[in-house]
Amino acid sequence: MPDTSKSNLKPNAALFLDRDGTVNIDTGYIDSPEKLQLIPGAAEAIARVNQAGVPVIIVTNQSGIARGMYTEQTLKEIHHRMDELLQEADAHVDAYYHCPHHTEGIVPAYQQACKCRKPEPGMFLTAAAEMNIDLSKSVMIGDKRSDLEAGLNAGCAAILVRTGNGVKTERALDSSLKSNISVENSLVNAIENWLK
Ligand SMILES: [Mg+2]
Ligand SMILES: [Zn+2]
């Protein structure tokens, strides 16, 4: 269990992060550890959150598993590689949650509608229960509309970053959603402002 006692401003807060296009460069379906490349500055920014004592949780849609493109085991190896890359900057992720499902999947075990695929808030609710997190004090950062909606559906604040699909997402935002989120150039700026 992460120690959040150092974080006086935001007790039981967590930082939820989308993975592809937010922490690592989105090169399409990441189906092997070798394809993982961090966005410049992302690891250092995550290290600052670690130092603040706030848990960092990745919530990622991985329908490639339902689509038979890679397996749960490969995903584990990809996240192990992410841990190694983050470690180089003394950064770490406290927990990974992923949704392997998709209604159009070809692997029967994962071919289903579910409550965890973003924009559904299932991964956030599970994390909150398992890690004693106050979602109303937490934030979700991501590059797609489904990230923002999932964060808001879970009761978190939501920040759009202009990395990955972020610029495209921003252009397509309707004003009602736009008024409920903030927009930052990258994870670095988003974390800097959130920690203020
Ligand atoms: Mg993304
Ligand atoms: Zn799911």
Side-chain angles (χ1 to χ4, degrees):
M1 186 63 68
D3 175 19
T4 55
S5 59
K6 284 173 283 180
S7 171
N8 299 320
L9 280 174
K10 298 177 163 73
N12 302 102
L15 173 65
F16 289 95
L17 296 177
D18 168 52
R19 198 191 77 183
D20 302 334
T22 301
V23 178
N24 59 276
I25 297 171
D26 189 352
T27 54
Y29 288 94
I30 307 263
D31 57 5
S32 75
E34 294 73 38
K35 288 194 180 163
L36 205 62
Q37 275 179 276
L38 297 185
I39 290 173
E44 291 76 12
I46 289 171
R48 292 188 54 194
V49 182
N50 297 147
Q51 284 154 20
V54 176
V56 176
I57 301 165
I58 290 200
V59 282
T60 179
N61 283 353
Q62 293 297 325
S63 69
I65 295 173
R67 297 176 204 274
M69 299 168 75
Y70 48 92
T71 63
E72 294 271 3
Q73 179 55 37
T74 302
L75 184 69
K76 258 185 212 152
E77 290 162 16
I78 291 166
H79 290 168
H80 178 71
R81 179 65 184 146
M82 178 161 276
D83 290 340
E84 288 178 344
L85 294 173
L86 291 171
Q87 183 55 46
E88 292 171 14
D90 285 321
H92 71 270
V93 166
D94 292 277
Y96 293 90
Y97 290 88
H98 71 276
C99 166
H101 308 112
H102 200 277
T103 50
E104 289 161 26
I106 59 163
V107 179
Y110 302 118
Q111 185 193 34
Q112 53 174 283
C114 65
K115 295 279 184 239
C116 48
R117 182 174 168 80
K118 296 175 287 185
E120 293 291 331
M123 292 188 280
F124 297 73
L125 302 179
T126 304
E130 291 180 351
M131 300 176 72
N132 188 32
I133 288 161
D134 183 344
L135 292 169
S136 72
K137 301 232 167 63
S138 302
V139 66
M140 167 63 179
I141 304 176
D143 70 317
K144 287 190 178 170
R145 184 185 175 95
S146 54
D147 295 316
L148 306 171
E149 289 177 335
L152 295 175
N153 286 339
C156 302
I159 304 175
L160 173 66
V161 285
R162 294 191 177 105
T163 51
N165 283 272
V167 171
K168 215 194 277 178
T169 300
E170 187 181 14
R171 272 195 221 120
L173 275 187
D174 46 280
S175 54
S176 65
L177 184 55
K178 199 166 191 175
S179 64
N180 284 312
I181 62 152
S182 35
V183 186
E184 299 280 0
N185 281 334
S186 72
L187 188 61
V188 178
N189 307 106
I191 284 178
E192 211 164 87
N193 285 329
W194 187 59
L195 285 177
K196 264 182 200 161

